[in-house]
PDB file of all heavy atoms in Angstrom:
ATOM      1  N   PRO B   1    -138.035 -74.817  62.229  1.00  0.00           N
ATOM      2  CA  PRO B   1    -138.011 -76.221  61.798  1.00  0.00           C
ATOM      3  C   PRO B   1    -139.283 -76.599  61.037  1.00  0.00           C
ATOM      4  O   PRO B   1    -140.397 -76.466  61.545  1.00  0.00           O
ATOM      5  CB  PRO B   1    -137.908 -76.982  63.127  1.00  0.00           C
ATOM      6  CG  PRO B   1    -137.199 -76.042  64.038  1.00  0.00           C
ATOM      7  CD  PRO B   1    -137.717 -74.684  63.670  1.00  0.00           C
ATOM      8  N   GLY B   2    -139.107 -76.998  59.793  1.00  0.00           N
ATOM      9  CA  GLY B   2    -140.239 -77.404  58.974  1.00  0.00           C
ATOM     10  C   GLY B   2    -141.064 -76.271  58.398  1.00  0.00           C
ATOM     11  O   GLY B   2    -142.114 -76.511  57.808  1.00  0.00           O
ATOM     12  N   GLN B   3    -140.587 -75.031  58.522  1.00  0.00           N
ATOM     13  CA  GLN B   3    -141.321 -73.870  58.018  1.00  0.00           C
ATOM     14  C   GLN B   3    -140.448 -73.108  57.026  1.00  0.00           C
ATOM     15  O   GLN B   3    -139.343 -72.681  57.368  1.00  0.00           O
ATOM     16  CB  GLN B   3    -141.723 -72.942  59.166  1.00  0.00           C
ATOM     17  CG  GLN B   3    -142.496 -73.626  60.278  1.00  0.00           C
ATOM     18  CD  GLN B   3    -143.862 -74.105  59.836  1.00  0.00           C
ATOM     19  OE1 GLN B   3    -144.562 -73.400  59.093  1.00  0.00           O
ATOM     20  NE2 GLN B   3    -144.250 -75.283  60.278  1.00  0.00           N
ATOM     21  N   PHE B   4    -140.962 -72.899  55.807  1.00  0.00           N
ATOM     22  CA  PHE B   4    -140.189 -72.240  54.764  1.00  0.00           C
ATOM     23  C   PHE B   4    -141.062 -71.230  54.022  1.00  0.00           C
ATOM     24  O   PHE B   4    -142.265 -71.429  53.870  1.00  0.00           O
ATOM     25  CB  PHE B   4    -139.644 -73.261  53.760  1.00  0.00           C
ATOM     26  CG  PHE B   4    -138.811 -74.347  54.364  1.00  0.00           C
ATOM     27  CD1 PHE B   4    -139.410 -75.504  54.856  1.00  0.00           C
ATOM     28  CD2 PHE B   4    -137.436 -74.222  54.462  1.00  0.00           C
ATOM     29  CE1 PHE B   4    -138.648 -76.516  55.421  1.00  0.00           C
ATOM     30  CE2 PHE B   4    -136.671 -75.226  55.027  1.00  0.00           C
ATOM     31  CZ  PHE B   4    -137.270 -76.380  55.509  1.00  0.00           C
ATOM     32  N   ASP B   5    -140.438 -70.173  53.544  1.00  0.00           N
ATOM     33  CA  ASP B   5    -141.068 -69.200  52.650  1.00  0.00           C
ATOM     34  C   ASP B   5    -140.297 -69.174  51.346  1.00  0.00           C
ATOM     35  O   ASP B   5    -139.060 -69.263  51.346  1.00  0.00           O
ATOM     36  CB  ASP B   5    -141.060 -67.798  53.271  1.00  0.00           C
ATOM     37  CG  ASP B   5    -142.295 -67.530  54.116  1.00  0.00           C
ATOM     38  OD1 ASP B   5    -143.219 -68.372  54.094  1.00  0.00           O
ATOM     39  OD2 ASP B   5    -142.339 -66.500  54.792  1.00  0.00           O
ATOM     40  N   SER B   6    -141.012 -69.036  50.230  1.00  0.00           N
ATOM     41  CA  SER B   6    -140.355 -68.835  48.942  1.00  0.00           C
ATOM     42  C   SER B   6    -140.587 -67.406  48.490  1.00  0.00           C
ATOM     43  O   SER B   6    -141.615 -66.792  48.811  1.00  0.00           O
ATOM     44  CB  SER B   6    -140.886 -69.827  47.899  1.00  0.00           C
ATOM     45  OG  SER B   6    -142.289 -69.783  47.809  1.00  0.00           O
ATOM     46  N   ALA B   7    -139.614 -66.847  47.751  1.00  0.00           N
ATOM     47  CA  ALA B   7    -139.674 -65.444  47.338  1.00  0.00           C
ATOM     48  C   ALA B   7    -140.921 -65.156  46.511  1.00  0.00           C
ATOM     49  O   ALA B   7    -141.502 -64.074  46.596  1.00  0.00           O
ATOM     50  CB  ALA B   7    -138.411 -65.085  46.570  1.00  0.00           C
ATOM     51  N   THR B   8    -141.332 -66.106  45.705  1.00  0.00           N
ATOM     52  CA  THR B   8    -142.562 -65.998  44.920  1.00  0.00           C
ATOM     53  C   THR B   8    -143.318 -67.315  45.030  1.00  0.00           C
ATOM     54  O   THR B   8    -142.769 -68.327  45.465  1.00  0.00           O
ATOM     55  CB  THR B   8    -142.268 -65.701  43.440  1.00  0.00           C
ATOM     56  OG1 THR B   8    -141.462 -66.763  42.896  1.00  0.00           O
ATOM     57  CG2 THR B   8    -141.527 -64.386  43.278  1.00  0.00           C
ATOM     58  N   SER B   9    -144.561 -67.286  44.635  1.00  0.00           N
ATOM     59  CA  SER B   9    -145.345 -68.518  44.675  1.00  0.00           C
ATOM     60  C   SER B   9    -144.766 -69.552  43.727  1.00  0.00           C
ATOM     61  O   SER B   9    -144.320 -69.225  42.621  1.00  0.00           O
ATOM     62  CB  SER B   9    -146.802 -68.231  44.305  1.00  0.00           C
ATOM     63  OG  SER B   9    -147.427 -67.438  45.296  1.00  0.00           O
ATOM     64  N   ALA B  10    -144.767 -70.788  44.167  1.00  0.00           N
ATOM     65  CA  ALA B  10    -144.235 -71.880  43.362  1.00  0.00           C
ATOM     66  C   ALA B  10    -145.223 -73.037  43.390  1.00  0.00           C
ATOM     67  O   ALA B  10    -145.967 -73.217  44.359  1.00  0.00           O
ATOM     68  CB  ALA B  10    -142.885 -72.323  43.909  1.00  0.00           C
ATOM     69  N   SER B  11    -145.235 -73.810  42.324  1.00  0.00           N
ATOM     70  CA  SER B  11    -146.127 -74.966  42.267  1.00  0.00           C
ATOM     71  C   SER B  11    -145.363 -76.282  42.228  1.00  0.00           C
ATOM     72  O   SER B  11    -145.971 -77.353  42.139  1.00  0.00           O
ATOM     73  CB  SER B  11    -147.047 -74.863  41.041  1.00  0.00           C
ATOM     74  OG  SER B  11    -146.288 -74.722  39.856  1.00  0.00           O
ATOM     75  N   HIS B  12    -144.033 -76.196  42.292  1.00  0.00           N
ATOM     76  CA  HIS B  12    -143.205 -77.407  42.318  1.00  0.00           C
ATOM     77  C   HIS B  12    -142.228 -77.319  43.492  1.00  0.00           C
ATOM     78  O   HIS B  12    -141.782 -76.226  43.866  1.00  0.00           O
ATOM     79  CB  HIS B  12    -142.435 -77.568  41.005  1.00  0.00           C
ATOM     80  CG  HIS B  12    -143.321 -77.713  39.804  1.00  0.00           C
ATOM     81  ND1 HIS B  12    -143.772 -78.930  39.338  1.00  0.00           N
ATOM     82  CD2 HIS B  12    -143.861 -76.784  38.983  1.00  0.00           C
ATOM     83  CE1 HIS B  12    -144.543 -78.753  38.280  1.00  0.00           C
ATOM     84  NE2 HIS B  12    -144.611 -77.446  38.042  1.00  0.00           N
ATOM     85  N   PHE B  13    -141.883 -78.460  44.050  1.00  0.00           N
ATOM     86  CA  PHE B  13    -141.011 -78.472  45.225  1.00  0.00           C
ATOM     87  C   PHE B  13    -140.210 -79.768  45.272  1.00  0.00           C
ATOM     88  O   PHE B  13    -140.554 -80.767  44.632  1.00  0.00           O
ATOM     89  CB  PHE B  13    -141.836 -78.320  46.505  1.00  0.00           C
ATOM     90  CG  PHE B  13    -142.947 -79.333  46.636  1.00  0.00           C
ATOM     91  CD1 PHE B  13    -142.731 -80.591  47.182  1.00  0.00           C
ATOM     92  CD2 PHE B  13    -144.234 -79.014  46.199  1.00  0.00           C
ATOM     93  CE1 PHE B  13    -143.757 -81.522  47.290  1.00  0.00           C
ATOM     94  CE2 PHE B  13    -145.266 -79.946  46.303  1.00  0.00           C
ATOM     95  CZ  PHE B  13    -145.028 -81.195  46.845  1.00  0.00           C
ATOM     96  N   ARG B  14    -139.148 -79.720  46.070  1.00  0.00           N
ATOM     97  CA  ARG B  14    -138.312 -80.907  46.274  1.00  0.00           C
ATOM     98  C   ARG B  14    -137.636 -80.781  47.639  1.00  0.00           C
ATOM     99  O   ARG B  14    -137.207 -79.688  48.029  1.00  0.00           O
ATOM    100  CB  ARG B  14    -137.254 -81.035  45.177  1.00  0.00           C
ATOM    101  CG  ARG B  14    -136.374 -82.279  45.299  1.00  0.00           C
ATOM    102  CD  ARG B  14    -135.419 -82.419  44.129  1.00  0.00           C
ATOM    103  NE  ARG B  14    -134.494 -81.297  44.029  1.00  0.00           N
ATOM    104  CZ  ARG B  14    -134.463 -80.430  43.025  1.00  0.00           C
ATOM    105  NH1 ARG B  14    -135.322 -80.548  42.019  1.00  0.00           N
ATOM    106  NH2 ARG B  14    -133.591 -79.435  43.007  1.00  0.00           N
ATOM    107  N   TYR B  15    -137.522 -81.882  48.357  1.00  0.00           N
ATOM    108  CA  TYR B  15    -136.860 -81.863  49.654  1.00  0.00           C
ATOM    109  C   TYR B  15    -136.509 -83.286  50.072  1.00  0.00           C
ATOM    110  O   TYR B  15    -136.924 -84.268  49.425  1.00  0.00           O
ATOM    111  CB  TYR B  15    -137.752 -81.208  50.722  1.00  0.00           C
ATOM    112  CG  TYR B  15    -139.103 -81.872  50.907  1.00  0.00           C
ATOM    113  CD1 TYR B  15    -139.310 -82.825  51.906  1.00  0.00           C
ATOM    114  CD2 TYR B  15    -140.179 -81.534  50.094  1.00  0.00           C
ATOM    115  CE1 TYR B  15    -140.533 -83.437  52.072  1.00  0.00           C
ATOM    116  CE2 TYR B  15    -141.418 -82.133  50.256  1.00  0.00           C
ATOM    117  CZ  TYR B  15    -141.589 -83.082  51.244  1.00  0.00           C
ATOM    118  OH  TYR B  15    -142.812 -83.685  51.400  1.00  0.00           O
ATOM    119  N   GLU B  16    -135.737 -83.396  51.141  1.00  0.00           N
ATOM    120  CA  GLU B  16    -135.375 -84.692  51.700  1.00  0.00           C
ATOM    121  C   GLU B  16    -135.885 -84.768  53.137  1.00  0.00           C
ATOM    122  O   GLU B  16    -136.010 -83.745  53.810  1.00  0.00           O
ATOM    123  CB  GLU B  16    -133.857 -84.889  51.689  1.00  0.00           C
ATOM    124  CG  GLU B  16    -133.250 -84.903  50.305  1.00  0.00           C
ATOM    125  CD  GLU B  16    -131.738 -85.137  50.339  1.00  0.00           C
ATOM    126  OE1 GLU B  16    -131.217 -85.527  51.411  1.00  0.00           O
ATOM    127  OE2 GLU B  16    -131.081 -84.932  49.302  1.00  0.00           O
ATOM    128  N   VAL B  17    -136.172 -85.979  53.571  1.00  0.00           N
ATOM    129  CA  VAL B  17    -136.566 -86.198  54.958  1.00  0.00           C
ATOM    130  C   VAL B  17    -135.655 -87.268  55.554  1.00  0.00           C
ATOM    131  O   VAL B  17    -135.546 -88.367  55.008  1.00  0.00           O
ATOM    132  CB  VAL B  17    -138.036 -86.641  55.087  1.00  0.00           C
ATOM    133  CG1 VAL B  17    -138.422 -86.735  56.567  1.00  0.00           C
ATOM    134  CG2 VAL B  17    -138.959 -85.684  54.348  1.00  0.00           C
ATOM    135  N   ASN B  18    -134.981 -86.909  56.631  1.00  0.00           N
ATOM    136  CA  ASN B  18    -134.090 -87.835  57.323  1.00  0.00           C
ATOM    137  C   ASN B  18    -134.924 -88.713  58.245  1.00  0.00           C
ATOM    138  O   ASN B  18    -135.454 -88.253  59.250  1.00  0.00           O
ATOM    139  CB  ASN B  18    -133.049 -87.047  58.122  1.00  0.00           C
ATOM    140  CG  ASN B  18    -132.017 -87.940  58.778  1.00  0.00           C
ATOM    141  OD1 ASN B  18    -132.158 -89.164  58.811  1.00  0.00           O
ATOM    142  ND2 ASN B  18    -130.959 -87.345  59.303  1.00  0.00           N
ATOM    143  N   LEU B  19    -135.041 -89.988  57.905  1.00  0.00           N
ATOM    144  CA  LEU B  19    -135.874 -90.913  58.657  1.00  0.00           C
ATOM    145  C   LEU B  19    -135.057 -91.927  59.451  1.00  0.00           C
ATOM    146  O   LEU B  19    -135.544 -93.016  59.787  1.00  0.00           O
ATOM    147  CB  LEU B  19    -136.841 -91.647  57.708  1.00  0.00           C
ATOM    148  CG  LEU B  19    -137.845 -90.754  56.966  1.00  0.00           C
ATOM    149  CD1 LEU B  19    -138.736 -91.595  56.060  1.00  0.00           C
ATOM    150  CD2 LEU B  19    -138.679 -89.950  57.942  1.00  0.00           C
ATOM    151  N   ALA B  20    -133.813 -91.575  59.744  1.00  0.00           N
ATOM    152  CA  ALA B  20    -132.988 -92.466  60.559  1.00  0.00           C
ATOM    153  C   ALA B  20    -133.661 -92.693  61.903  1.00  0.00           C
ATOM    154  O   ALA B  20    -134.082 -91.731  62.550  1.00  0.00           O
ATOM    155  CB  ALA B  20    -131.598 -91.864  60.753  1.00  0.00           C
ATOM    156  N   PRO B  21    -133.790 -93.942  62.345  1.00  0.00           N
ATOM    157  CA  PRO B  21    -134.453 -94.222  63.629  1.00  0.00           C
ATOM    158  C   PRO B  21    -133.730 -93.548  64.791  1.00  0.00           C
ATOM    159  O   PRO B  21    -132.578 -93.832  65.061  1.00  0.00           O
ATOM    160  CB  PRO B  21    -134.372 -95.750  63.731  1.00  0.00           C
ATOM    161  CG  PRO B  21    -134.209 -96.226  62.327  1.00  0.00           C
ATOM    162  CD  PRO B  21    -133.382 -95.174  61.653  1.00  0.00           C
ATOM    163  N   ARG B  22    -134.413 -92.641  65.453  1.00  0.00           N
ATOM    164  CA  ARG B  22    -133.834 -91.943  66.595  1.00  0.00           C
ATOM    165  C   ARG B  22    -134.803 -91.925  67.777  1.00  0.00           C
ATOM    166  O   ARG B  22    -134.490 -91.381  68.826  1.00  0.00           O
ATOM    167  CB  ARG B  22    -133.509 -90.492  66.227  1.00  0.00           C
ATOM    168  CG  ARG B  22    -132.501 -90.363  65.095  1.00  0.00           C
ATOM    169  CD  ARG B  22    -132.307 -88.912  64.712  1.00  0.00           C
ATOM    170  NE  ARG B  22    -131.373 -88.757  63.611  1.00  0.00           N
ATOM    171  CZ  ARG B  22    -131.112 -87.602  63.019  1.00  0.00           C
ATOM    172  NH1 ARG B  22    -131.727 -86.502  63.422  1.00  0.00           N
ATOM    173  NH2 ARG B  22    -130.239 -87.531  62.020  1.00  0.00           N
ATOM    174  N   LEU B  23    -135.971 -92.487  67.567  1.00  0.00           N
ATOM    175  CA  LEU B  23    -137.017 -92.387  68.562  1.00  0.00           C
ATOM    176  C   LEU B  23    -137.114 -93.672  69.375  1.00  0.00           C
ATOM    177  O   LEU B  23    -136.471 -94.677  69.072  1.00  0.00           O
ATOM    178  CB  LEU B  23    -138.355 -92.106  67.881  1.00  0.00           C
ATOM    179  CG  LEU B  23    -138.366 -90.898  66.947  1.00  0.00           C
ATOM    180  CD1 LEU B  23    -139.662 -90.861  66.163  1.00  0.00           C
ATOM    181  CD2 LEU B  23    -138.181 -89.606  67.738  1.00  0.00           C
ATOM    182  N   SER B  24    -137.917 -93.640  70.398  1.00  0.00           N
ATOM    183  CA  SER B  24    -138.150 -94.840  71.192  1.00  0.00           C
ATOM    184  C   SER B  24    -138.989 -95.824  70.390  1.00  0.00           C
ATOM    185  O   SER B  24    -139.713 -95.450  69.471  1.00  0.00           O
ATOM    186  CB  SER B  24    -138.865 -94.477  72.488  1.00  0.00           C
ATOM    187  OG  SER B  24    -140.155 -93.963  72.209  1.00  0.00           O
ATOM    188  N   GLY B  25    -138.900 -97.091  70.749  1.00  0.00           N
ATOM    189  CA  GLY B  25    -139.635 -98.112  70.022  1.00  0.00           C
ATOM    190  C   GLY B  25    -141.130 -97.887  70.010  1.00  0.00           C
ATOM    191  O   GLY B  25    -141.816 -98.228  69.050  1.00  0.00           O
ATOM    192  N   SER B  26    -141.661 -97.289  71.068  1.00  0.00           N
ATOM    193  CA  SER B  26    -143.099 -97.043  71.131  1.00  0.00           C
ATOM    194  C   SER B  26    -143.567 -96.024  70.098  1.00  0.00           C
ATOM    195  O   SER B  26    -144.742 -95.989  69.733  1.00  0.00           O
ATOM    196  CB  SER B  26    -143.496 -96.576  72.538  1.00  0.00           C
ATOM    197  OG  SER B  26    -142.856 -95.344  72.848  1.00  0.00           O
ATOM    198  N   ASP B  27    -142.635 -95.174  69.634  1.00  0.00           N
ATOM    199  CA  ASP B  27    -142.990 -94.169  68.626  1.00  0.00           C
ATOM    200  C   ASP B  27    -142.952 -94.733  67.212  1.00  0.00           C
ATOM    201  O   ASP B  27    -143.422 -94.085  66.280  1.00  0.00           O
ATOM    202  CB  ASP B  27    -142.035 -92.979  68.706  1.00  0.00           C
ATOM    203  CG  ASP B  27    -142.203 -92.185  69.988  1.00  0.00           C
ATOM    204  OD1 ASP B  27    -143.315 -92.219  70.546  1.00  0.00           O
ATOM    205  OD2 ASP B  27    -141.229 -91.558  70.432  1.00  0.00           O
ATOM    206  N   ALA B  28    -142.395 -95.922  67.054  1.00  0.00           N
ATOM    207  CA  ALA B  28    -142.186 -96.459  65.713  1.00  0.00           C
ATOM    208  C   ALA B  28    -143.484 -96.735  64.974  1.00  0.00           C
ATOM    209  O   ALA B  28    -143.499 -96.764  63.747  1.00  0.00           O
ATOM    210  CB  ALA B  28    -141.352 -97.748  65.801  1.00  0.00           C
ATOM    211  N   ALA B  29    -144.562 -96.971  65.683  1.00  0.00           N
ATOM    212  CA  ALA B  29    -145.845 -97.235  65.038  1.00  0.00           C
ATOM    213  C   ALA B  29    -146.633 -95.964  64.782  1.00  0.00           C
ATOM    214  O   ALA B  29    -147.735 -96.016  64.241  1.00  0.00           O
ATOM    215  CB  ALA B  29    -146.673 -98.191  65.903  1.00  0.00           C
ATOM    216  N   ARG B  30    -146.081 -94.808  65.157  1.00  0.00           N
ATOM    217  CA  ARG B  30    -146.845 -93.557  65.064  1.00  0.00           C
ATOM    218  C   ARG B  30    -146.273 -92.558  64.088  1.00  0.00           C
ATOM    219  O   ARG B  30    -146.983 -91.645  63.657  1.00  0.00           O
ATOM    220  CB  ARG B  30    -146.932 -92.916  66.454  1.00  0.00           C
ATOM    221  CG  ARG B  30    -147.697 -93.763  67.455  1.00  0.00           C
ATOM    222  CD  ARG B  30    -147.950 -93.000  68.737  1.00  0.00           C
ATOM    223  NE  ARG B  30    -146.722 -92.814  69.527  1.00  0.00           N
ATOM    224  CZ  ARG B  30    -146.603 -91.944  70.519  1.00  0.00           C
ATOM    225  NH1 ARG B  30    -147.615 -91.147  70.818  1.00  0.00           N
ATOM    226  NH2 ARG B  30    -145.486 -91.860  71.198  1.00  0.00           N
ATOM    227  N   VAL B  31    -144.992 -92.648  63.722  1.00  0.00           N
ATOM    228  CA  VAL B  31    -144.380 -91.710  62.778  1.00  0.00           C
ATOM    229  C   VAL B  31    -143.528 -92.477  61.765  1.00  0.00           C
ATOM    230  O   VAL B  31    -143.209 -93.647  61.949  1.00  0.00           O
ATOM    231  CB  VAL B  31    -143.510 -90.658  63.499  1.00  0.00           C
ATOM    232  CG1 VAL B  31    -144.362 -89.770  64.388  1.00  0.00           C
ATOM    233  CG2 VAL B  31    -142.403 -91.328  64.302  1.00  0.00           C
ATOM    234  N   SER B  32    -143.151 -91.783  60.704  1.00  0.00           N
ATOM    235  CA  SER B  32    -142.368 -92.405  59.640  1.00  0.00           C
ATOM    236  C   SER B  32    -140.944 -92.716  60.081  1.00  0.00           C
ATOM    237  O   SER B  32    -140.337 -91.964  60.846  1.00  0.00           O
ATOM    238  CB  SER B  32    -142.325 -91.482  58.423  1.00  0.00           C
ATOM    239  OG  SER B  32    -143.614 -91.235  57.921  1.00  0.00           O
ATOM    240  N   TRP B  33    -140.419 -93.829  59.568  1.00  0.00           N
ATOM    241  CA  TRP B  33    -139.015 -94.180  59.790  1.00  0.00           C
ATOM    242  C   TRP B  33    -138.580 -95.113  58.664  1.00  0.00           C
ATOM    243  O   TRP B  33    -139.399 -95.715  57.969  1.00  0.00           O
ATOM    244  CB  TRP B  33    -138.799 -94.852  61.151  1.00  0.00           C
ATOM    245  CG  TRP B  33    -139.628 -96.085  61.401  1.00  0.00           C
ATOM    246  CD1 TRP B  33    -140.875 -96.116  61.966  1.00  0.00           C
ATOM    247  CD2 TRP B  33    -139.290 -97.433  61.078  1.00  0.00           C
ATOM    248  NE1 TRP B  33    -141.341 -97.408  62.018  1.00  0.00           N
ATOM    249  CE2 TRP B  33    -140.385 -98.241  61.495  1.00  0.00           C
ATOM    250  CE3 TRP B  33    -138.190 -98.037  60.496  1.00  0.00           C
ATOM    251  CZ2 TRP B  33    -140.398 -99.634  61.321  1.00  0.00           C
ATOM    252  CZ3 TRP B  33    -138.196 -99.435  60.332  1.00  0.00           C
ATOM    253  CH2 TRP B  33    -139.288-100.211  60.741  1.00  0.00           C
ATOM    254  N   LEU B  34    -137.270 -95.220  58.492  1.00  0.00           N
ATOM    255  CA  LEU B  34    -136.721 -96.054  57.420  1.00  0.00           C
ATOM    256  C   LEU B  34    -135.333 -96.524  57.807  1.00  0.00           C
ATOM    257  O   LEU B  34    -134.502 -95.732  58.257  1.00  0.00           O
ATOM    258  CB  LEU B  34    -136.653 -95.255  56.109  1.00  0.00           C
ATOM    259  CG  LEU B  34    -136.117 -95.978  54.872  1.00  0.00           C
ATOM    260  CD1 LEU B  34    -137.071 -97.096  54.434  1.00  0.00           C
ATOM    261  CD2 LEU B  34    -135.904 -94.990  53.727  1.00  0.00           C
ATOM    262  N   ASN B  35    -135.091 -97.823  57.673  1.00  0.00           N
ATOM    263  CA  ASN B  35    -133.738 -98.341  57.860  1.00  0.00           C
ATOM    264  C   ASN B  35    -133.334 -99.143  56.625  1.00  0.00           C
ATOM    265  O   ASN B  35    -134.023 -99.089  55.604  1.00  0.00           O
ATOM    266  CB  ASN B  35    -133.621 -99.160  59.159  1.00  0.00           C
ATOM    267  CG  ASN B  35    -134.540-100.377  59.172  1.00  0.00           C
ATOM    268  OD1 ASN B  35    -134.859-100.954  58.135  1.00  0.00           O
ATOM    269  ND2 ASN B  35    -134.975-100.766  60.366  1.00  0.00           N
ATOM    270  N   LYS B  36    -132.245 -99.875  56.692  1.00  0.00           N
ATOM    271  CA  LYS B  36    -131.726-100.556  55.511  1.00  0.00           C
ATOM    272  C   LYS B  36    -132.565-101.760  55.099  1.00  0.00           C
ATOM    273  O   LYS B  36    -132.424-102.243  53.965  1.00  0.00           O
ATOM    274  CB  LYS B  36    -130.289-100.993  55.766  1.00  0.00           C
ATOM    275  CG  LYS B  36    -129.305 -99.839  55.918  1.00  0.00           C
ATOM    276  CD  LYS B  36    -127.886-100.343  56.134  1.00  0.00           C
ATOM    277  CE  LYS B  36    -126.917 -99.181  56.282  1.00  0.00           C
ATOM    278  NZ  LYS B  36    -125.516 -99.643  56.480  1.00  0.00           N
ATOM    279  N   GLN B  37    -133.413-102.245  55.986  1.00  0.00           N
ATOM    280  CA  GLN B  37    -134.213-103.418  55.672  1.00  0.00           C
ATOM    281  C   GLN B  37    -135.669-103.098  55.335  1.00  0.00           C
ATOM    282  O   GLN B  37    -136.259-103.692  54.448  1.00  0.00           O
ATOM    283  CB  GLN B  37    -134.200-104.409  56.851  1.00  0.00           C
ATOM    284  CG  GLN B  37    -132.871-105.112  57.069  1.00  0.00           C
ATOM    285  CD  GLN B  37    -131.874-104.238  57.798  1.00  0.00           C
ATOM    286  OE1 GLN B  37    -132.251-103.471  58.686  1.00  0.00           O
ATOM    287  NE2 GLN B  37    -130.612-104.340  57.423  1.00  0.00           N
TER     288      GLN B  37
END
C-alpha cells in the first residue's frame, strides 16, 4: 500500500487519492479529507 516501483526512472507522475471520509471525527484535523462541500 502506497509503495510503487517503475521499470525505469521517471520524472513525471500521476495518481488519484481517495479522500472519502472514513475516519473518526478526531482524525479529521490530522489527515486529508474531502467531501462535496
Side-chain angles (χ1 to χ4, degrees):
Q3 306 293 319
F4 304 87
D5 271 352
S6 53
T8 60
S9 293
S11 56
H12 299 270
F13 54 86
R14 182 175 61 245
Y15 58 96
E16 297 181 13
V17 185
N18 185 350
L19 298 180
R22 299 176 181 174
L23 306 171
S24 65
S26 62
D27 292 334
R30 296 189 289 164
V31 295
S32 299
W33 56 270
L34 181 67
N35 61 30
K36 293 181 180 181
Q37 289 79 36

